[in-house]
């Protein structure tokens, strides 16, 4: 019996029938290839991307309470190549005024130290802007351990608390710093040309304002590691702030694990985002007025902003995400937040899902926190509690310096678990729920969240900031074939030896110079 489709008439090697058959086969092949391609694209678009680490197939709450998989990496900001100690004679003094809130100032301090290193300048203890959003005049001395800061960076830059007076011929002269306004995200070349020129002319320069005034992406791993040394080692809060923070953490942890959430649902961020429609007409008027007074004029359409994930999550949405991830109502949550806009009506749904909510005032009713809860000290305590929490969840990590710095610090602190909602991915899920399509809601939320990073090492991709993710520059591996990633050995011993050697060389030079001067006399 002949097989259908395989019969060929004798003597006909390529007639019209054969051509049609071939064409039909090619059409089927193309169709199958197209289907396979579409299937592949569909599967790729829904595959969790973890930058090399194994993607979880489901969310495990028990695993989230632990630190993320380090992949053999450990934090290390020590120099890995030749790093000379700062010379005794510098090119002049560098003053900076760090504006903004606590964490914007923190990043500016890191940049100031690096700028001083680049220019071979003596850094004057950075000034913290008292006229910023916080209206807080705590200053550097009121927040940070100054002695620790100077001592920690002794191998990197010279630091003084103020520009010293010059005593010459029985007269006292003050050095007046020349004021400059650095370009935003200025390249290193601006500091080694324009800024350095003025420093040499005047003996000192004063850079103001100094927020985001040095480029973040610098093709020099040692410079980036210096930023990490400042941020994660030198900038230590004063003992009383650390004690307050540790007391709160101890009380929270006395009953088991706890999660910290940075609930960014305040007037300034809502105005910045342009997300007004969920508020009453009176509240919208307040938000629009604040936006007009503080941000550039721009037409923002709520539905469009919401659809692309530009709106901060509401407290209820935060609760729904956590519930979909199978956290139950016994979960203890610490809220780091300012005054929530819209009042209790936005918190009620969240509180119904997770009743065990705390903040620094409810856990520790000390007088210092009561009087500084909205200032830099309250923010510093919130920062430390969020750093030490088992899990940290920022609800709006776009332009939030607080959230971004914490994400980077927790990564450096040992890949501590972070829950970072993909607002753009979650937007259609929430919009569908609001339109009555609730079937499969929790599964859809889990599907989006499975594709996020929970705190492990991952490649930094713009617009992610270096302060949010300093991997790989500020991390190393004990076992690796790549020398650039190898953990350095005997770092402090080598730096001490180098500093002693340079000091001995300087003393020999001074003695020799003194003998020459005597002979000349």
């Amino acid at each position: 019996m002949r097989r259908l489709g395989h019969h060929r008439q004798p003597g006909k090697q390529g007639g019209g029938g054969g051509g049609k058959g071939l064409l039909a086969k090619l059409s089927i092949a193309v169709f199958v290839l197209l289907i396979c391609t579409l299937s592949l694209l569909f599967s790729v678009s829904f595959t969790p991307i973890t930058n090399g680490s194994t993607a979880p197939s489901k969310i495990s709450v028990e695993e989230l309470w632990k630190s993320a998989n380090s992949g053999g990496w450990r934090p290390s900001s020590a120099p890995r190549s030749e790093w000379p100690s700062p010379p005794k004679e510098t090119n002049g003094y560098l003053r900076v005024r760090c504006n903004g809130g606590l964490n914007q100032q923190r990043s500016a301090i890191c940049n100031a130290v690096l700028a001083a290193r680049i220019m071979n300048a003596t850094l004057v203890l950075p000034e913290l802007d008292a006229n910023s959003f916080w209206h807080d005049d705590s200053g550097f001395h009121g927040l940070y351990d100054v002695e620790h800061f100077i001592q920690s960076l002794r191998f990197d830059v010279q630091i003084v608390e103020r520009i010293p007076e010059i005593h010459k011929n029985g007269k006292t002269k003050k050095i007046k710093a020349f004021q400059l306004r650095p370009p935003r995200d200025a390249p290193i070349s601006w500091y080694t040309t324009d800024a350095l020129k003025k420093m040499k002319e005047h003996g000192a320069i004063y850079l103001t304002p100094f927020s985001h005034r040095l480029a973040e992406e610098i093709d020099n791993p040692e410079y980036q590691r210096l930023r990490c040394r400042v941020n994660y080692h030198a900038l230590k809060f004063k003992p009383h702030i650390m004690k307050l923070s540790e007391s709160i953490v101890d009380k929270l942890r006395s009953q088991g694990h706890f999660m910290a959430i940075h609930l960014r649902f305040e007037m300034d961020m809502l105005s910045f985002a342009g997300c007004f429609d969920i508020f009453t007409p009176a509240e919208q008027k307040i938000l629009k007025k604040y936006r007009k007074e503080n941000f550039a004029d721009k037409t923002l359409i709520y539905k469009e902003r919401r659809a692309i994930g530009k709106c901060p999550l509401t407290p209820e949405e935060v609760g729904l995400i956590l519930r979909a991830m199978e956290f139950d109502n016994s979960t203890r949550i610490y809220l780091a937040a300012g005054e929530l806009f819209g009042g209790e009506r936005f918190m009620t749904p969240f509180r119904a899902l997770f009743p065990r909510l705390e903040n620094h005032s409810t856990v520790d009713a000390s007088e210092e926190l009561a009087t500084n809860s909205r200032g830099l000290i309250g923010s510093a305590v919130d920062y430390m509690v969020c750093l030490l929490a088992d899990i940290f969840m920022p609800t709006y990590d776009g332009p939030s310096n607080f959230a971004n710095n914490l994400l980077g610090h927790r990564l450096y602190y040992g890949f501590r678990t972070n829950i970072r909602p993909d607002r753009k991915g979650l937007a259609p899920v929430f919009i569908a729920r609001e339109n009555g399509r609730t079937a499969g809601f929790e599964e859809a939320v889990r599907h989006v969240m499975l594709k996020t990073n929970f705190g492990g090492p991952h490649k930094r991709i713009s617009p992610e900031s270096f302060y949010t993710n300093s991997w790989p520059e500020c991390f190393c591996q004990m076992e690796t074939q790549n020398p650039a990633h190898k953990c350095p050995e005997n770092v402090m011993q080598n730096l001490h030896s180098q500093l002693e050697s340079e000091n001995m060389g300087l003393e020999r030079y001074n003695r020799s110079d003194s003998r020459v001067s005597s002979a000349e006399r």
Side-chain angles (χ1 to χ4, degrees):
M1 183 177 179
R2 291 192 300 257
R3 292 178 64 191
L4 294 176
H6 286 262
H7 172 65
R8 188 173 60 198
Q9 292 183 13
K12 294 191 176 182
Q13 297 294 322
K20 288 179 181 177
L22 180 61
L23 183 61
K25 289 177 182 178
L26 285 172
S27 299
I28 292 169
V30 169
F31 180 75
V32 170
L33 181 62
L34 179 62
I35 293 296
C36 291
T37 303
L38 289 172
S39 299
L40 179 62
L41 288 172
F42 185 84
S43 65
V44 167
S45 67
F46 284 90
T47 300
I49 299 170
T50 57
N51 296 296
S53 58
T54 305
S57 57
K58 66 176 184 177
I59 294 172
S60 166
V61 171
E62 285 303 313
E63 289 300 312
L64 288 177
W65 287 121
K66 305 172 186 176
S67 293
N69 184 358
S70 69
W73 292 89
R74 59 175 63 183
S76 173
S77 56
R80 295 175 209 173
S81 58
E82 187 178 354
W83 187 257
S85 298
K88 295 292 182 183
E89 295 295 323
T90 65
N91 289 319
Y93 295 93
L94 172 63
R95 280 180 62 200
V96 299
R97 180 176 65 86
C98 306
N99 53 307
L102 175 76
N103 290 281
Q104 190 168 314
Q105 291 176 353
R106 192 179 181 101
S107 301
I109 294 167
C110 298
N111 287 342
V113 172
L114 179 54
R117 175 77 189 195
I118 290 167
M119 293 190 291
N120 181 25
T122 299
L123 178 66
V124 182
L125 202 66
E127 301 167 23
L128 306 188
D129 187 6
N131 299 313
S132 64
F133 173 79
W134 295 103
H135 304 289
D136 188 313
D137 59 358
S138 299
F140 201 104
H141 283 87
L143 281 174
Y144 297 108
D145 185 331
V146 174
E147 185 178 347
H148 175 82
F149 180 75
I150 295 173
Q151 180 71 6
S152 295
L153 297 170
R154 66 192 182 280
F155 299 115
D156 304 303
V157 289
Q158 286 197 52
I159 303 173
V160 295
E161 295 197 36
R162 61 188 62 84
I163 298 177
E165 296 175 336
I166 298 174
H167 300 280
K168 192 173 182 180
N169 299 327
K171 295 182 179 179
T172 300
K173 181 183 177 183
K174 290 184 177 180
I175 300 175
K176 187 176 180 181
F178 182 84
Q179 186 168 319
L180 278 172
R181 184 184 180 94
R184 187 176 176 87
D185 299 320
I188 287 177
S189 59
W190 183 85
Y191 288 90
T192 56
T193 54
D194 298 44
L196 185 57
K197 180 183 176 183
K198 292 298 181 184
M199 179 178 284
K200 288 181 176 180
E201 284 178 10
H202 300 273
I205 57 173
Y206 181 36
L207 304 184
T208 178
F210 199 71
S211 170
H212 306 289
R213 301 295 158 167
L214 178 58
E216 278 193 18
E217 292 301 329
I218 296 175
D219 190 22
N220 184 327
E222 293 297 1
Y223 283 169
Q224 298 293 54
R225 283 191 273 274
L226 174 55
R227 277 173 160 158
C228 289
R229 289 199 291 281
V230 181
N231 206 5
Y232 307 135
H233 297 280
L235 282 173
K236 182 180 178 184
F237 291 121
K238 289 185 77 70
H240 69 285
I241 295 176
M242 298 297 288
K243 188 176 178 180
L244 272 171
S245 307
E246 289 165 7
S247 171
I248 290 174
V249 170
D250 288 344
K251 289 175 183 176
L252 289 167
R253 193 159 282 145
S254 66
Q255 299 181 40
H257 297 298
F258 79 96
M259 175 192 303
I261 297 179
H262 185 223
L263 195 55
R264 202 69 167 94
F265 202 70
E266 297 129 334
M267 181 169 63
D268 63 326
M269 192 53 68
L270 291 164
S271 298
F272 171 82
C275 301
F276 307 141
D277 289 28
I278 59 174
F279 297 99
T280 66
E283 289 167 341
Q284 289 188 36
K285 187 177 179 180
I286 294 170
L287 290 171
K288 288 175 181 177
K289 181 177 182 291
Y290 187 92
R291 178 171 178 81
K292 186 177 181 180
E293 293 172 351
N294 294 278
F295 303 110
D297 186 31
K298 189 177 180 181
T299 302
L300 300 174
I301 300 170
Y302 170 72
K303 287 186 177 179
E304 293 178 0
R305 303 284 290 171
R306 176 91 189 284
I308 58 174
K310 294 295 184 181
C311 289
L313 294 170
T314 68
E316 182 181 19
E317 288 170 341
V318 174
L320 290 170
I321 292 168
L322 292 176
R323 183 53 60 87
M325 293 175 70
E326 300 183 354
F327 287 94
D328 61 34
N329 63 3
S330 68
T331 305
R332 197 164 194 192
I333 296 174
Y334 178 88
L335 292 179
E339 187 175 349
L340 267 63
F341 191 78
E344 188 60 27
R345 81 173 188 277
F346 283 100
M347 280 300 297
T348 299
F350 185 30
R351 206 181 300 278
L353 291 167
F354 294 94
R356 300 184 70 192
L357 301 179
E358 305 276 7
N359 59 37
H360 57 224
S361 299
T362 61
V363 181
D364 189 311
S366 64
E367 184 179 347
E368 181 166 16
L369 275 179
T371 55
N372 292 283
S373 62
R374 291 285 178 266
L376 289 173
I377 291 177
S379 183
V381 170
D382 276 348
Y383 185 94
M384 286 307 303
V385 176
C386 290
L387 174 63
L388 299 172
D390 299 293
I391 296 173
F392 173 61
M393 180 181 185
T395 62
Y396 194 66
D397 57 342
S400 171
N401 293 295
F402 184 93
N404 286 331
N405 275 23
L406 266 166
L407 289 168
H409 205 155
R410 287 176 62 85
L411 192 77
Y412 190 86
Y413 198 63
F415 304 104
R416 300 174 81 85
T417 299
N418 300 311
I419 296 175
R420 301 175 68 178
D422 175 3
R423 294 189 308 279
K424 186 175 181 180
L426 289 166
V429 180
F430 280 119
I431 292 169
R433 180 180 180 274
E434 289 160 15
N435 292 330
R437 298 193 297 274
T438 57
F441 168 76
E442 291 195 345
E443 181 59 35
V445 170
R446 285 193 290 273
H447 184 77
V448 173
M449 292 304 296
L450 270 170
K451 293 187 282 183
T452 64
N453 182 283
F454 289 107
H458 60 283
K459 185 178 180 181
R460 185 171 66 251
I461 300 173
S462 181
E464 191 173 39
S465 161
F466 174 79
Y467 291 106
T468 304
N469 178 11
S470 58
W471 185 88
E473 293 95 333
C474 295
F475 295 83
C476 67
Q477 291 179 307
M478 296 298 292
E479 303 294 333
T480 178
Q481 298 300 313
N482 188 339
H485 296 158
K486 184 77 174 173
C487 291
E489 297 177 1
N490 303 322
V491 175
M492 292 307 295
Q493 182 181 334
N494 293 339
L495 288 173
H496 274 293
S497 299
Q498 183 175 305
L499 185 61
E500 287 175 7
S501 174
E502 289 169 358
N503 285 340
M504 287 174 65
L506 184 63
E507 287 173 8
R508 283 196 296 271
Y509 172 79
N510 288 338
R511 286 197 297 269
S512 172
D513 188 52
S514 176
R515 285 195 294 270
V516 170
S517 299
S518 299
E520 288 175 346
R521 288 196 295 271

